[in-house]
Amino acid sequence: MLKKGISLRGIEVFEALAQTGSVAQAAAITGLSQPAVSQQMRNLETAVGADLIDHGRRPMRLTPAGRLFLRRSEAALSELRLAQSEVTVMDLAHLGELNLGIIDDFDDDLTPRLATILADSLTGCRFRMTTAGSNELAQAIRDKNLHMAIAARTSEKVPGVIEYPLARDPFIIVTPAGSRAQAQQLLAGEAEIPFLHYAAGQLIETQISSFLQDQHLELSARFEIGSHLALMAMVARGIGWAITTPLGYMRATRFHDGMRVMALPFPDAARQISLFAGSEWSGPVPRDIARTMQRLMEAHMIGPATARRPWLADKFHLIGDTTG
């Protein structure tokens, strides 16, 4: 039995403080007030019987006992988050057929998890899942080749399609780790390395180009890369810099050591990830799938990203309270 005073919320607060060294940033990550963060830490340290954080230093640092406790608590939180994302009650047994498309941004992690969760619920159902770019998925919904699709919102509203917003995915800058160029230098074309474009025709490239035009910014198109991971690899190798999103950055974990991440100095620059369903599918099924996808995004993308980059907390988040 856990000692009185050790709570899941307290461990989450401790993890956030360990990662940021700041009560204010831990409050932003956990959604608590700063006094509540401090109280949670006092309760946890009292229950453990040891100082976990050196409160006299700025930024705060872990004590030896804190480092030991963090290793164990991170493993426990990881398992709990995984359980929360995968234990989902959906009544889909009545469906005879479901054709679902998912943006290829999620291929590496979330799509396999969602597929296994749905497969457990779709007993007796003919289930087809495809992955593609957002433009292709939007066209498939228009043509009624898909019943639902999880994709980035396009500029065109499709009649007869219901949108269930999932998350806000802001645009960010990624540069080689060794580059010292600041955002304004990069956007002005004054950096020593070129801008790497996504390939023309991809929705993300259309959105980035539109945003740059709105800001009266023009960057040469010497490089156009159709593969997201190839583009991230080129950044990590020092070939150039790029504009992407946190979802894209989190897909490229293997290249993180070679990249530096910074905010795009335009807070409204973001895309929206949504679930789109034909109007004949209104009801609990698309809502249940949307909730499940949001749980997966929070546990495996948003939570880890905002823990590493606390400045993302107010930019990269779920839309609406549909995970409860």
Side-chain angles (χ1 to χ4, degrees), residues 40-206:
Q40 288 284 350
M41 271 309 303
R42 285 194 293 270
N43 292 347
L44 182 61
E45 289 180 321
T46 299
V48 171
D51 289 335
L52 303 177
I53 299 278
D54 184 347
H55 299 269
R57 298 184 62 181
R58 294 293 183 273
M60 296 178 180
R61 292 287 186 269
L62 293 179
T63 64
R67 288 192 290 272
L68 177 62
F69 190 78
L70 181 64
R71 285 200 300 271
R72 300 296 187 185
S73 62
E74 281 186 327
L77 284 175
S78 177
E79 290 299 316
L80 285 169
R81 286 167 178 152
L82 183 60
Q84 182 185 30
S85 69
E86 294 184 349
V87 178
T88 306
V89 177
M90 286 191 290
D91 182 14
L92 304 180
H94 64 286
L95 295 181
E97 184 178 14
L98 176 61
N99 297 332
L100 174 67
I102 303 184
I103 187 174
D104 46 19
D105 295 54
F106 298 140
D107 275 356
D108 297 345
D109 196 357
L110 299 196
T111 298
R113 295 180 188 277
L114 181 63
T116 56
I117 292 170
L118 291 175
D120 286 340
S121 302
L122 291 166
T123 56
C125 172
R126 183 179 180 276
F127 177 43
R128 181 168 65 93
M129 176 182 281
T130 60
T131 62
S134 291
N135 281 333
E136 294 173 73
L137 295 176
Q139 187 60 50
I141 285 283
R142 289 188 201 97
D143 297 340
K144 300 189 180 300
N145 292 327
L146 290 175
H147 299 134
M148 300 178 206
I150 295 171
R153 174 199 272 179
T154 67
S155 58
E156 180 183 351
K157 188 172 178 61
V158 182
V161 173
I162 302 171
E163 180 179 4
Y164 299 82
L166 300 179
R168 183 182 191 271
D169 191 26
F171 290 111
I172 58 174
I173 291 173
V174 288
T175 71
S179 172
R180 300 274 68 87
Q182 298 304 306
Q184 295 293 358
Q185 292 175 283
L186 294 166
L187 293 168
E190 298 171 354
E192 72 283 3
I193 51 176
F195 179 56
L196 307 178
H197 288 256
Y198 284 93
Q202 292 183 311
L203 178 60
I204 191 169
E205 172 60 22
T206 301

Side-chain angles (χ1 to χ4, degrees), residues 298-318:
E298 179 63 36
H300 302 288
M301 292 289 192
I302 297 175
T306 54
R308 295 179 192 178
R309 313 283 176 181
W311 52 268
L312 278 172
D314 62 344
K315 302 176 178 68
F316 183 37
H317 53 76
L318 299 179

Side-chain angles (χ1 to χ4, degrees), residues 227-258:
S227 162
H228 170 75
L229 290 180
L231 190 147
M232 294 296 103
M234 291 173 69
V235 173
R237 285 288 300 274
I239 295 170
W241 67 279
I243 295 174
T244 187
T245 71
L247 285 179
Y249 172 71
M250 292 303 291
R251 286 181 63 198
T253 305
R254 74 188 85 166
F255 304 119
H256 282 182
D257 289 346

Side-chain angles (χ1 to χ4, degrees), residues 4-23:
K4 185 177 180 181
I6 297 181
S7 66
L8 178 59
R9 182 54 110 181
I11 295 173
E12 288 178 328
V13 165
F14 167 64
E15 181 188 50
L17 273 174
Q19 290 163 340
T20 66
S22 163
V23 170

